[in-house]
């Protein structure tokens, strides 16, 4: 691994770790890895509650190896999370910096999504504090890692839900419109749609439009399909799941149409094996990179290797994260 963003090596003695933004399965496993790697390297660790809000409020806790016992399998985050508006102000960040200085924290590991990365980048630049980020979000929408923490678990959760919905859909000959999370990303929709055998998938990144969906339904009817599952990513541009289902009902009045919004259940639950191992590798790498002098960067998985990417690059690069081949496969499997 060739890190790109190294600065003058400052001696780090105490790391502050926090989770911020939407929680994701695997965050606890990442906290555990950060704490244990830091302690192994004779560093102290402070847990910061509720992300940037806790930094502003001085809501800290000293962590040791035992503080992270039996959390690798737990969903959510023991350090809690928040979306913090005050951190967007200079006064808020100054307050946060004063608090972490008082606490003796001289480097940070931030676990979260793009809002967390943006905050970390600004804060680290303003106050010259070393920071490494770990991509933790079910959305899989960050540049710098093939997969974000929690994405694999969320896919498994959605597939389990689709299986259950399919049981009732086929019993009643119904068409279900299932909305899944992902903000502006269609990663969960595409992967869980393929894994759950969905008849159609609407994604923000691909302009299928209602007409495309109508064609899919006509085609399914020609094949005498009696029930269907249509997955709609929450960021889809066709007006939302209710609007889409309404338009379909207008075109096919004989269909028994139902809507199911999976919502926040997609964020919970025990992390999958993949997410636990990924989180552990990311936490370990984040601390070791800080110790080598790397800063203002995110850790990630490319292929099978751990890499780091400068935060500026991660924040400013738009990557099409849908697997093009999987898109094609989805269109063949639903025929
Ligand atoms: O970023 C994770 C995520 O779950 C998105 O998929 C979703 O759009 C959003 O967070 C929901 O945020 P909140 O929990 O604040 O309503």
């Amino acid at each position: 691994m060739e890190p790109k963003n190294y600065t003058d090596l400052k001696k780090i003695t105490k790391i502050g770790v926090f989770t911020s933004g939407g929680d994701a399965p695997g965050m606890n496993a990442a906290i555990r890895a950060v704490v244990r790697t830091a302690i192994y390297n004779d560093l102290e660790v402070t847990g910061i509650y509720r992300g940037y809000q806790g930094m502003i409020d001085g809501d800290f806790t000293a962590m040791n190896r035992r503080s992270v016992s039996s959390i690798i399998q737990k969903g959510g985050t023991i350090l809690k999370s928040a979306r913090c508006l005050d951190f967007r102000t200079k006064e808020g960040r100054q307050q946060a910096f004063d608090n972490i200085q008082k606490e003796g924290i001289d480097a940070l590991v931030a676990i979260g999504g793009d809002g967390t990365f943006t905050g970390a980048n600004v804060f680290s630049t303003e106050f010259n504090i070393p920071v490494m980020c770990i991509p933790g979000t079910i959305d899989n929408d960050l540049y710098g890692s093939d997969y974000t923490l929690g994405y694999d678990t969320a896919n498994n959760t959605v597939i389990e839900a689709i299986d259950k919905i399919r049981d009732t859909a086929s019993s009643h000959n119904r068409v279900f419109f299932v909305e899944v999370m992902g903000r502006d990303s269609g990663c969960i929709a595409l992967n869980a749609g393929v894994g759950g055998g969905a008849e159609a998938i609407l994604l923000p990144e691909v302009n299928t439009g209602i007409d495309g969906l109508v064609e899919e339904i006509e085609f399914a009817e020609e094949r005498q399909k009696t029930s269907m599952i249509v997955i709609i990513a929450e960021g889809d541009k066709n007006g939302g799941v209710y609007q889409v289902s309404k338009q379909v009902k207008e075109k096919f009045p004989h269909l028994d149409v139902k809507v199911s919004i999976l919502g926040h259940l997609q964020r919970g639950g025990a992390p999958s094996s993949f997410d636990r191992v990924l989180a552990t590798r990311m936490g370990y790498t984040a601390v070791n990179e800080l110790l080598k002098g790397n800063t203002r960067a995110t850790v990630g998985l490319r292929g099978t290797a751990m890499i780091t990417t400068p935060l500026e690059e991660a924040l400013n690069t738009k990557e099409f994260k849908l697997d093009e081949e999987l898109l094609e496969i989805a269109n063949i499997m639903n025929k």
Side-chain angles (χ1 to χ4, degrees), residues 22 83 137-139 181-183 234 264 267:
R83 301 192 197 275
T137 164
I138 63 165
D139 300 340
M181 276 187 169
R183 207 182 288 275
E234 66 173 335
H264 285 81
R267 289 233 297 255

Side-chain angles (χ1 to χ4, degrees), residues 199 215-225 228:
E199 277 69 22
E215 274 172 36
E216 296 283 3
I217 295 175
E218 275 167 353
F219 190 55
E221 292 227 293
E222 277 167 30
R223 284 169 296 148
Q224 268 122 41
K225 280 215 166 214
M228 281 180 78

Side-chain angles (χ1 to χ4, degrees), residues 232-285:
I232 305 194
E234 66 173 335
D236 175 61
K237 310 277 188 320
N238 291 293
V241 68
Y242 284 110
Q243 179 63 21
V244 171
S245 65
K246 188 166 158 259
Q247 282 178 263
V248 167
K249 180 74 183 166
E250 279 162 15
K251 290 250 179 215
F252 304 92
H254 61 283
L255 291 181
D256 189 358
V257 166
K258 295 281 173 189
V259 167
S260 182
I261 296 177
L262 298 188
H264 285 81
L265 72 82
Q266 295 162 93
R267 289 233 297 255
S272 64
S273 152
F274 180 86
D275 276 330
R276 293 181 198 197
V277 176
L278 182 62
T280 305
R281 290 179 77 188
M282 284 179 167
Y284 168 86
T285 305

